[in-house]
């Protein structure tokens, strides 16, 4: 990989955050059912692609998807958003379980006949939600390990960056570590907590570069990790051409850093697809014509206490690198 870095990416960070803020408000009302995406981190740029998927679902199904919850990381307010959504009696709720705060609300919604679909991240107790749609995050960690070996060889030392404590990040980390320990000679030098925010990720990456000068790779497991790693190297004027950098997700600065050769590859979830499928599953729950709720698993699924929906729908990962990064750039994506 090359270490050439284009013009400073601060403007790209600002633009991404501005777009996220603009998209975080309620969607344009349409005829049909109303669903609510109730969760925290509504203003985070990571959600741009999920929101795009919801916009696409609105157009395809003629429904309204409203958004409710705090702009940043706030588990208490995120759980309260689910409660507020229940009070509005929508046709369904979509939420994310990075942590278990919303589990009681999910359970109450389901008991009241309001279907809930969890996307992106899930805890062991999902509150009885209809289904989880997203990555098998442990397997995503395995995929990350395979990408590190493919691009960095079978041995070396690495640091992992992530927002530790988030259910999806912890599962990714475990899958990666387990695979590397069983199939390679890679050694973990340490972990840094980037808190899934740009400023914290930059500071954490600077500390990492100063603390672990001899590492041969960096792995970033949340959506801000790659931005932090790349911008920290830029601010420190570091030449990292010998460092293998594998990250996750597709913030605009990450895509720029891939195009510039600073980041080797990013492992991504099909976030637009998971959001679209969440709406599709809620439509299937509410529309008897689909037949999904009455698939003959039993004589009477409701009476038998049978959930006719799959326990989980896994997206699988994709890889963005220098060969295909132009296909993922924000201006190349359709709008709805």
């Amino acid at each position: 990989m090359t270490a050439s870095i284009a013009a400073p990416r601060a403007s790209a960070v600002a633009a991404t955050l501005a777009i996220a803020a603009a998209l975080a408000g309620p969607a344009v009302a349409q005829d049909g059912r109303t669903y609510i995406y109730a969760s925290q981190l509504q203003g985070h740029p990571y959600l741009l692609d999920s929101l795009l998927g919801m916009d696409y679902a609105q157009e395809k199904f003629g429904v309204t998807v409203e958004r409710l919850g705090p702009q940043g990381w706030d588990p208490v307010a995120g759980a309260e958003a689910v409660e507020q959504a229940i009070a509005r009696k929508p046709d369904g709720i979509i939420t994310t379980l990075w942590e278990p705060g919303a589990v009681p609300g999910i359970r109450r919604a389901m008991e009241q006949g309001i279907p809930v679909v969890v996307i992106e991240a899930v805890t062991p107790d999902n509150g009885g939600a209809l289904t989880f749609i997203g990555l098998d995050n442990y397997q995503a960690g395995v995929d990350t390990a395979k990408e590190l070996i493919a691009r960095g060889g079978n041995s070396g030392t690495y640091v992992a960056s992530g927002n530790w404590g988030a259910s999806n990040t912890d599962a990714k980390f475990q899958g990666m570590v387990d695979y590397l320990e069983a199939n390679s000679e890679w050694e973990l030098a340490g972990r840094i907590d980037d808190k899934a925010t740009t400023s914290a990720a930059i500071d954490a990456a600077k500390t990492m570069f100063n603390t672990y000068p001899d590492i041969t790779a960096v792995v970033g497991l949340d959506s801000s990790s790659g931005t932090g790693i790349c911008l920290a190297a830029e601010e420190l004027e570091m030449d990292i051409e010998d460092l293998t950098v594998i990250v996750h997700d597709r913030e605009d600065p990450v895509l720029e850093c891939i195009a510039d050769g600073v980041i080797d590859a990013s492992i991504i979830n099909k976030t637009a697809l998971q959001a679209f499928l969440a709406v599709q599953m809620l439509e299937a729950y509410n529309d008897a014509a689909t037949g999904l709720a009455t698939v003959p698993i039993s004589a009477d699924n409701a009476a038998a206490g049978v959930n006719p929906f799959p326990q989980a729908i896994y997206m699988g990962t994709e890889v963005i690198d220098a060969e295909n990064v132009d296909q993922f750039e924000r201006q190349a994506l359709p709008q709805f």
Side-chain angles (χ1 to χ4, degrees), residues 181-324:
E181 288 181 350
N183 298 280
S184 76
E185 296 178 9
W186 279 96
E187 295 182 359
L188 177 66
R191 301 196 307 180
I192 57 172
D193 190 347
D194 60 41
K195 305 185 187 303
T197 61
T198 300
S199 59
I202 293 171
D203 290 341
K206 287 180 179 178
T207 299
M208 173 197 69
F209 285 130
N210 290 324
T211 304
Y212 305 102
D214 299 323
I215 57 173
T216 56
V218 184
V219 177
L221 296 175
D222 69 63
S223 59
S224 296
S225 302
T227 299
I229 292 164
C230 185
L231 292 181
E234 180 177 299
E235 291 184 16
L236 293 172
E237 298 182 347
M238 289 187 61
D239 183 346
I240 58 173
E241 63 178 354
D242 294 328
L243 200 64
T244 302
V245 182
I246 309 296
V247 301
H248 276 227
D249 307 324
R250 50 192 289 190
E251 288 189 6
D252 289 352
V254 168
L255 300 181
E256 289 188 21
C257 292
I258 292 173
D260 292 342
V262 181
I263 293 175
D264 290 280
S266 187
I267 311 297
I268 66 165
N269 180 11
K270 302 169 190 174
T271 43
L273 178 60
Q274 74 180 8
F276 178 87
L277 287 177
V279 177
Q280 189 172 42
M281 289 296 102
L282 291 173
E283 282 287 277
Y285 176 92
N286 286 308
D287 189 350
T290 68
L292 185 57
T294 54
V295 171
I297 302 168
S298 65
D300 185 328
N301 291 336
V306 172
N307 179 358
F309 289 76
Q311 180 178 358
I313 302 171
Y314 292 133
M315 298 293 94
T317 61
E318 299 291 341
V319 177
I320 302 177
D321 61 15
E323 298 299 317
N324 64 359

Side-chain angles (χ1 to χ4, degrees), residues 3-300:
S4 61
I5 300 178
R9 274 165 271 271
S11 59
V13 174
T16 299
L17 293 173
I19 294 170
L23 289 177
V28 176
Q30 303 177 45
D31 294 332
R33 300 181 182 94
T34 296
Y35 302 117
I36 298 178
Y37 175 52
S39 184
Q40 55 187 316
L41 288 174
Q42 291 281 356
H44 198 287
Y46 174 75
L47 287 184
L48 285 170
D49 299 290
S50 283
L51 299 181
L52 181 61
M54 291 178 194
D55 289 344
Y56 182 61
Q58 287 189 126
E59 179 177 280
K60 293 299 179 181
F61 299 121
V63 301
T64 298
V65 182
E66 298 179 358
R67 300 188 279 278
L68 182 64
Q71 296 293 293
W73 177 261
D74 188 335
V76 173
E80 289 175 349
V82 174
E83 300 290 352
Q84 292 165 6
I86 294 170
R88 292 170 58 177
K89 302 186 183 303
D91 296 295
I93 296 171
I94 303 168
T95 192
T96 301
L97 288 174
W98 287 290
E99 43 74 42
V103 167
I106 294 172
R107 187 167 287 111
R108 275 189 287 276
M110 294 295 296
E111 289 171 351
Q112 294 179 29
I114 302 172
V116 181
V117 172
V118 177
I119 63 171
E120 184 63 39
V122 69
T123 53
D125 180 0
N126 71 354
L130 284 183
T131 187
F132 167 69
I133 305 175
L135 287 178
D136 176 338
N137 285 295
Y138 182 91
Q139 182 59 45
V142 170
D143 294 346
T144 304
K146 291 178 178 178
E147 198 68 26
L148 175 61
I149 292 171
R151 296 178 185 270
N154 204 50
S155 64
T157 56
Y158 71 99
V159 168
S161 178
N163 56 327
W164 312 116
S167 60
N168 55 338
T169 300
D170 289 350
K172 290 174 183 178
F173 178 73
Q174 195 60 55
M176 177 182 69
V177 169
D178 287 352
Y179 189 88
L180 290 174
E181 288 181 350
N183 298 280
S184 76
E185 296 178 9
W186 279 96
E187 295 182 359
L188 177 66
R191 301 196 307 180
I192 57 172
D193 190 347
D194 60 41
K195 305 185 187 303
T197 61
T198 300
S199 59
I202 293 171
D203 290 341
K206 287 180 179 178
T207 299
M208 173 197 69
F209 285 130
N210 290 324
T211 304
Y212 305 102
D214 299 323
I215 57 173
T216 56
V218 184
V219 177
L221 296 175
D222 69 63
S223 59
S224 296
S225 302
T227 299
I229 292 164
C230 185
L231 292 181
E234 180 177 299
E235 291 184 16
L236 293 172
E237 298 182 347
M238 289 187 61
D239 183 346
I240 58 173
E241 63 178 354
D242 294 328
L243 200 64
T244 302
V245 182
I246 309 296
V247 301
H248 276 227
D249 307 324
R250 50 192 289 190
E251 288 189 6
D252 289 352
V254 168
L255 300 181
E256 289 188 21
C257 292
I258 292 173
D260 292 342
V262 181
I263 293 175
D264 290 280
S266 187
I267 311 297
I268 66 165
N269 180 11
K270 302 169 190 174
T271 43
L273 178 60
Q274 74 180 8
F276 178 87
L277 287 177
V279 177
Q280 189 172 42
M281 289 296 102
L282 291 173
E283 282 287 277
Y285 176 92
N286 286 308
D287 189 350
T290 68
L292 185 57
T294 54
V295 171
I297 302 168
S298 65
D300 185 328

